[in-house]
């Protein structure tokens, strides 16, 4: 990054001199969006290693922007935590229709639950913040359920309809159960969570119409 | 109880007057043990409703003894918490051979896991204390695994040997998984934990040698 000398559009002076057709306002908005994207990706990474209370400078440095830019877009730490969380939830929800299109219903369900397990297992720092009682996070559990509930629900419905899993297990129950199975256990890593989630998935398959040979 | 008039040995005066063969020292020991039993039962109940930091007087009153007696037997709150926990763990472990003697292997396993789920679900206050970092509790997770690991292990082995569940799931993994599934979930009660544990049990049955009709 430091060695880059070509105009990248992040410097308004360079960009204006190159006669870009973008209006300054639109260019500013594009720059701002790029900064936001970089900050969210950086925050996700830094939160994962150093926790959600990591120094602002570490996040700004990782994003390649100044600390002032971080504070302009995310005045409070809770704003940044909330934005990272929502982006992660969105990505996980969006994986559901993609998997449903690519795999058989039960396999799509199992793949998505593994994806969701990874998401939860690597987001412990976020979970701690979310359960801190800070009113800034009040809406997030609702957002989580509102996005992931229907995503999982459609996969469960398809696998029930195909006879590969039994009916009667709610998306809400499963989302909570997997989240709890991702809580740290002494001496165990993410493989433990995945093993236990696989057992839950087999529990869904047990007693279904279509049994394995 | 209040209507009982026959000598019960709880009143040293009555006991001495009746010419009991007990020596005063032995009688004192029996009284002390009765007080300890009452205190542990009272503490279990009070911890369940008011948490492990409930006032000493509440526990002593429930046990029908003076606060001085409570402090004589359990000088620190951690002594009392530890004793209650160990007694509960012992009772849960002792249920395993009893169930194994009474039921088919997979049914005994399922019953024991339900019993263990109840134990964990109603012991949230204890769990908070155990994870408080107080060195007085350092040995308890070890005690938990040392007593419950073999209890569950023997049930798993028997159900695997009978072909009712698949092999390869460790007692340790299951004990942790159930404990995590007993963590409180917003808007859900103990029935949620039991539903999810039932799903885990069905996961053990899935793909076993003996499938249901």
């Amino acid at each position: 990054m430091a060695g880059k000398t070509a105009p990248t559009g992040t410097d308004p002076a360079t960009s204006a001199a190159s006669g870009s057709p973008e209006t300054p306002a639109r260019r500013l908005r594009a720059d701002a969006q790029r900064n936001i994207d970089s900050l969210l990706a950086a925050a996700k990474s830094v939160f994962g290693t150093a926790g959600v209370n990591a120094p602002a400078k570490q996040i700004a440095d990782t994003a390649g922007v100044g600390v002032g830019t971080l504070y302009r877009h995310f005045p409070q730490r809770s704003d940044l935590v909330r934005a990272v969380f929502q982006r992660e939830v969105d990505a996980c929800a969006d994986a559901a229709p993609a998997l449903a299109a690519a795999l058989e219903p039960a396999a799509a369900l199992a793949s998505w639950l593994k994806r969701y397990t990874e998401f939860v297992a690597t987001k412990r720092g976020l979970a701690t913040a979310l359960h801190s009682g800070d009113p800034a996070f009040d809406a997030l559990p609702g957002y989580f359920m509102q996005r992931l509930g229907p995503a999982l629900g459609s996969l469960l419905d398809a696998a029930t309809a195909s006879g590969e899993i039994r009916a009667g297990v709610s998306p809400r129950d499963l989302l909570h159960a997997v989240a709890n199975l991702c809580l740290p256990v002494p001496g165990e890593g993410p493989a433990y969570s995945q093993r236990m989630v696989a057992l839950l998935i087999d529990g869904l398959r047990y007693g279904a119409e279509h049994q394995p040979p």
Side-chain angles (χ1 to χ4, degrees), chain A residues 106 109 155-156 159-167 201 204-205 208-209:
Chain A
L109 171 66
L155 295 170
L156 279 171
T160 307
S162 73
E164 293 170 277
I165 68 160
R166 66 166 129 183
I201 296 170
L204 291 170
R205 288 180 171 130
E209 205 177 312

Side-chain angles (χ1 to χ4, degrees), chain A residues 8 13 26 48 56 60 67 69 80 83 88 103 113 127 131 136 163 170 179 186-187 195:
Chain A
T8 60
R26 183 177 297 165
V67 171
T69 303
L80 186 58
E88 294 292 295
L103 298 168
L113 283 171
H131 297 122
S170 79
R195 280 199 302 278

Side-chain angles (χ1 to χ4, degrees), chain A residues 103-121:
Chain A
L103 298 168
E104 294 296 311
L109 171 66
S111 286
W112 189 84
L113 283 171
K114 279 175 204 163
R115 162 82 171 75
Y116 168 67
T117 304
E118 264 166 45
F119 160 59
V120 179

Side-chain angles (χ1 to χ4, degrees), chain A residues 56-107:
Chain A
K57 188 161 185 326
Q58 188 182 351
I59 298 167
D61 285 354
T62 305
V65 305
V67 171
T69 303
L70 167 56
Y71 283 125
R72 191 163 60 248
H73 292 301
F74 303 103
Q76 308 283 336
R77 177 55 55 103
S78 57
D79 299 323
L80 186 58
V81 171
R82 201 164 48 201
V84 168
F85 179 83
Q86 289 182 333
R87 204 169 84 136
E88 294 292 295
V89 168
D90 289 343
C92 192
D94 294 344
L99 288 167
L103 298 168
E104 294 296 311

Side-chain angles (χ1 to χ4, degrees), chain A residues 3 28 32 35 38 41 44 56 76 95 108 137 179 197:
Chain A
L28 217 61
N35 284 342
S38 302
K44 177 190 167 184
Q76 308 283 336
F137 301 130
V197 171

Side-chain angles (χ1 to χ4, degrees), chain A residues 134-146:
Chain A
D134 186 329
F137 301 130
D138 279 357
L140 289 185
Y143 187 79
F144 184 93
M145 272 299 156
Q146 181 197 321

